[in-house]
């Protein structure tokens, strides 16, 4: 068969991301702080945009606007102006579905969009990749990675992150476990076990509750925690007063041995987090608030204090729209401003709808505590709201919810169900917790096999296969029954 060039006509379909659609999707994924940075740049680049508070400052006796009010951006510039669609029933979805909501705003083609960008001052063009500082791993980033690797249960991971918020600048744990347990409605013993795991994290000595414990953890990590060093650390006041003879009598060793132990202690770091104190501190600002009204019902609100609220300066447009030299420039900026306002409105509406659905499905969690976290996936929320899973994923990424019982990332509320034989109220997290509880309470003389655990779970109405028990046990880093039997015998 000869290879010759030829011309063919083929018909195909493909999904294209226009610059505006790409911007709309990126806005949906940003938290409020990131969004304000983008809006500030848009305010510098677009002369038709201005903040709502600046506009209201010029108008005396103007009542406070409502976030859902759209009468302030009504069309007043004639046929050349494009009226943004602020229908609350229109939501973001991905790619092709999103583009349907924005085709009316595409008044310029790709080359026009690029020319518009080129005409602007290069110093004003904000390149997020070029101007970003080199990423340095902070203490909380390091702890976050270790928490995600150590704790497999969603509830344990959540509690570990809450405990990490109680670290002081030196790396010591300053929280009250009883108060935290009361707020989360969980046993104190569970928090104590989680804190014990956290004390094994890097840097060595982190989460210690006092100086002696911090130094003991570091010596244990080096495998140098001898009995004499334990006694020295238990008597730090004597060591501070340099009473070496008294310490030698307590340790039943010579003064020279005490001095050698003191030299070992001096090589330790009394402030495990000291190397991280100079780093920039990041603050978490909630995107959604949950409050109780007078009837005891939950009320869900967006954090309007951090949401950018923009208006279009129609008077400026009216003054210059008849200028032929500026007409094209103004039309492009007006189209872009209308699109941005619509995108911000739909972003706020979508976040609020997703938060409402999460609170509705996790009502027992907010009422009774972390033990009642129900199984919920991105697909469940997406189907209920007629959105795609990727849209829900973008909405929940990096967004935080402030509730009466704490501050939570929206991602924390998602966990899968244990299996097809489990009731709707039983999540994989709850089953793993049940398996761990059974193994922790087992008799050393009667170690539970995976088959026996299946039987015990079935008595509680949880029917899962033995291989599922084995998979969950391995994910919890729990050894087999034979390994546990040998370990407990020794």
């Amino acid at each position: 068969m000869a290879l010759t060039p030829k011309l063919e006509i083929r018909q195909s379909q493909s999904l294209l991301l226009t610059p505006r659609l790409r911007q709309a999707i990126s806005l949906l994924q940003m938290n409020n702080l990131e969004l304000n940075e983008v809006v500030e740049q848009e305010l510098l680049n677009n002369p038709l945009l201005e903040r709502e508070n600046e506009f209201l400052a010029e108008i005396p006796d103007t009542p406070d606007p409502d976030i859902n009010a759209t009468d302030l951006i009504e069309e007043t510039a004639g046929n050349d102006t494009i009226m943004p669609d602020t229908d609350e029933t229109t939501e973001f979805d991905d790619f092709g579905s999103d583009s349907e909501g924005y085709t009316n705003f595409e008044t310029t083609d790709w080359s026009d969009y690029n020319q518009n960008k080129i005409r602007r001052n290069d110093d004003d063009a904000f390149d997020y990749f070029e101007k970003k500082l080199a990423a340095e791993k902070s203490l909380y980033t390091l702890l976050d990675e270790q928490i995600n690797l150590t704790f497999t249960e969603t509830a344990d991971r959540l509690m570990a992150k809450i405990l990490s918020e109680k670290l002081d600048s030196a790396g010591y744990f300053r929280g009250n476990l009883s108060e935290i347990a009361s707020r989360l409605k969980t046993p104190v013993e569970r928090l104590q076990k989680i804190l014990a795991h956290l004390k094994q994290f890097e840097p060595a000595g982190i989460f210690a509750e006092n100086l002696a414990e911090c130094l003991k953890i570091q010596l244990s990590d080096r495998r140098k925690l001898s009995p004499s060093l334990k006694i020295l650390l238990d008597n730090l006041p004597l060591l501070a007063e340099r009473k070496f003879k008294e310490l030698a009598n307590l340790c039943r060793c010579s003064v020279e041995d005490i001095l050698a132990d003191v030299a070992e202690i001096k090589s330790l770091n009394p402030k495990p987090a000291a190397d991280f104190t100079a780093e920039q501190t990041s603050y978490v600002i909630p995107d959604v608030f949950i409050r109780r009204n007078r009837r005891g019902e939950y009320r869900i609100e967006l954090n309007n204090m951090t949401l950018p609220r923009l208006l279009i300066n129609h008077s400026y447009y009216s003054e210059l729209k008849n200028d032929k030299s500026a007409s094209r420039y103004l039309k492009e900026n007006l189209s872009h401003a209308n699109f941005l306002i619509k995108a911000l409105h739909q972003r706020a509406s979508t976040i609020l709808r997703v938060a409402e659905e999460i609170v509705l499905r996790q009502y027992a969690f907010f009422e009774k505590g972390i033990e009642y976290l129900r199984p919920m996936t991105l697909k469940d929320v997406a189907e209920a709201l007629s959105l795609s899973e990727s849209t829900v994923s973008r909405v929940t990424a990096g967004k935080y919810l402030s509730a009466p019982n704490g501050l939570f990332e929206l991602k924390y509320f998602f966990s899968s169900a244990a299996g097809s034989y489990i009731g709707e109220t039983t999540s994989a997290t709850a089953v793993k917790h049940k398996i761990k509880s059974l193994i922790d309470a087992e008799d050393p003389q009667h170690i539970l096999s995976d088959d026996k655990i299946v039987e015990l779970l079935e008595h509680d109405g949880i029917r899962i296969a033995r291989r599922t028990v084995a998979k969950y046990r391995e994910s919890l880093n729990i050894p087999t029954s034979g390994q546990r039997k040998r370990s407990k015998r020794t």
Side-chain angles (χ1 to χ4, degrees):
M1 180 179 178
L3 297 176
T4 58
K6 59 181 179 179
L7 295 176
E8 290 184 353
I9 298 177
R10 292 183 180 180
Q11 186 177 6
S12 62
Q13 292 182 340
S14 62
L15 295 175
L16 297 177
L17 280 177
T18 62
R20 288 186 175 180
L21 181 56
R22 192 183 299 275
Q23 182 190 33
I25 293 174
S26 65
L27 290 177
L28 190 63
Q29 193 166 0
M30 295 176 184
N31 58 35
N32 286 356
L33 294 179
E34 296 169 336
L35 187 65
N36 273 285
E37 292 181 7
V38 174
V39 169
E40 286 296 333
Q41 190 63 33
E42 291 291 339
L43 288 169
L44 291 175
N45 293 335
N46 196 331
L48 298 181
L49 277 175
E50 59 183 35
R51 286 191 178 273
E52 188 179 64
N53 54 357
E54 296 173 358
F55 174 78
L56 294 177
E58 301 175 0
I59 306 176
D61 301 329
T62 303
D64 292 336
D66 181 59
I67 190 173
N68 295 319
T70 58
D71 56 326
L72 292 177
I73 57 172
E74 287 183 353
E75 192 57 60
T76 60
N79 296 330
D80 293 336
T81 307
I82 301 171
M83 176 60 188
D85 178 14
T86 56
D87 184 6
E88 294 186 4
T89 61
T90 307
E91 290 84 21
F92 275 118
D93 209 338
D94 292 306
F95 308 131
S97 59
D98 277 347
S99 63
E100 295 175 1
Y102 300 111
T103 51
N104 293 334
F105 292 96
E106 297 296 337
T107 59
T108 58
D109 58 19
W110 180 276
S111 59
D112 292 333
Y113 181 86
N114 287 335
Q115 290 171 7
N116 184 34
K117 293 297 181 184
I118 293 171
R119 283 197 299 272
R120 292 176 179 170
N121 191 343
D122 291 340
D123 294 335
D124 294 334
F126 189 84
D127 191 327
Y128 292 96
F129 295 99
E130 293 295 334
K131 293 191 177 182
K132 245 184 179 177
L133 294 174
E136 296 181 4
K137 186 175 289 188
S138 67
L139 174 63
Y140 290 98
T141 302
L142 178 63
L143 295 177
D144 218 35
E145 291 176 355
Q146 296 178 80
I147 288 172
N148 292 331
L149 290 172
T150 304
F151 300 99
T152 56
E153 294 187 37
T154 305
D156 288 347
R157 203 159 47 235
L158 181 76
M159 287 186 280
K161 291 178 186 290
I162 292 174
L163 293 179
S164 68
E165 297 173 1
K166 303 299 181 181
L167 293 177
D168 64 8
S169 58
Y172 290 93
F173 178 73
R174 300 303 186 191
N176 188 312
L177 290 182
S178 298
E179 293 180 0
I180 298 173
S182 175
R183 180 163 56 90
L184 296 178
K185 300 178 182 178
T186 190
V188 179
E189 292 76 16
R190 187 174 184 181
L191 288 176
Q192 291 172 341
K193 290 182 180 179
I194 293 173
L195 183 59
H197 283 294
L198 294 175
K199 290 178 180 179
Q200 301 173 11
F201 282 8
E202 294 291 337
I206 199 75
F207 285 99
E209 298 178 63
N210 51 61
L211 176 60
E213 185 181 19
C214 176
L215 299 178
K216 285 181 181 178
I217 292 173
Q218 294 181 53
L219 288 170
S220 179
D221 189 60
R222 298 181 183 182
R223 298 184 179 179
K224 293 184 178 180
L225 186 58
S226 62
S228 61
L229 280 170
K230 286 184 180 179
I231 295 174
L232 282 179
L233 295 177
D234 289 336
N235 294 273
L236 285 178
L238 294 178
L239 185 60
E241 296 172 7
R242 303 179 65 84
K243 295 182 178 180
F244 298 132
K245 290 185 178 180
E246 188 172 343
L247 289 171
N249 293 332
L250 290 174
C251 297
R252 297 180 181 179
C253 61
S254 64
V255 175
E256 289 75 12
D257 293 334
I258 294 296
L259 294 176
D261 288 342
V262 171
E264 185 68 38
I265 292 176
K266 287 182 177 180
S267 67
L268 303 176
N269 184 4
K271 297 180 179 181
D275 296 336
F276 301 90
T277 53
E279 294 186 356
Q280 184 177 1
T281 304
S282 297
Y283 297 94
V284 174
I285 298 179
D287 300 84
V288 182
F289 290 107
I290 297 181
R291 298 186 176 95
R292 285 186 179 274
N293 58 20
R294 295 178 179 178
R295 297 187 297 274
E297 301 170 342
Y298 286 118
R299 181 181 178 183
I300 304 164
E301 303 173 352
L302 288 174
N303 187 357
N304 293 330
M305 298 299 293
T306 59
L307 279 177
R309 303 168 75 173
L310 303 178
L311 294 174
I312 298 174
N313 191 335
H314 290 294
S315 60
Y316 180 74
Y317 177 85
S318 300
E319 291 176 6
L320 298 177
K321 69 176 181 178
N322 295 324
D323 187 343
K324 293 183 179 180
S325 61
S327 176
R328 182 178 179 81
Y329 173 77
L330 290 175
K331 288 170 66 175
E332 290 174 355
N333 280 281
L334 180 62
S335 175
H336 188 73
N338 275 322
F339 179 85
L340 181 61
I341 291 175
K342 172 182 166 61
L344 293 175
H345 178 78
Q346 287 191 329
R347 175 189 178 274
S349 175
T350 306
I351 292 175
L352 188 61
R353 291 179 63 219
V354 171
E356 288 175 348
E357 185 66 21
I358 290 175
V359 174
L360 181 64
R361 290 174 177 268
Q362 300 292 357
Y363 183 80
F365 166 83
F366 296 103
E367 284 289 314
K368 301 179 182 179
I370 203 165
E371 301 289 342
Y372 293 85
L373 194 67
R374 293 185 57 190
M376 183 178 69
T377 62
L378 295 173
K379 184 178 180 181
D380 296 334
V381 176
E383 290 179 350
L385 301 178
S386 300
L387 300 172
S388 72
E389 291 183 49
S390 55
T391 299
V392 177
S393 178
R394 290 189 183 98
V395 169
T396 55
K399 311 294 191 309
Y400 286 83
L401 179 148
S402 178
N405 53 344
L407 181 69
F408 308 99
E409 189 177 4
L410 294 181
K411 285 285 188 183
Y412 290 150
F413 296 103
F414 293 91
S415 63
S416 60
S420 57
Y421 297 106
I422 308 304
E424 293 182 358
T425 58
T426 306
S427 67
T429 302
V431 174
K432 287 180 182 180
H433 177 68
K434 183 68 176 177
I435 293 173
K436 188 175 184 300
S437 300
L438 290 173
I439 293 176
D440 289 343
E442 67 184 356
D443 187 348
Q445 302 299 324
H446 299 88
I447 301 298
L448 299 177
S449 64
D450 291 346
D451 290 322
K452 185 62 177 179
I453 293 175
V454 170
E455 293 180 11
L456 295 174
L457 290 175
E458 191 169 358
H459 286 310
D460 294 337
I462 303 174
R463 297 180 57 196
I464 57 176
R466 187 196 63 80
R467 61 180 179 274
T468 307
V469 172
K471 181 179 70 174
Y472 288 170
R473 177 178 50 74
E474 291 172 359
S475 69
L476 294 170
N477 296 320
I478 297 175
T480 63
S481 57
Q483 293 172 334
R484 298 201 307 274
K485 183 181 295 185
R486 290 190 293 271
S487 176
K488 291 186 178 182
R489 282 179 177 176
T490 56

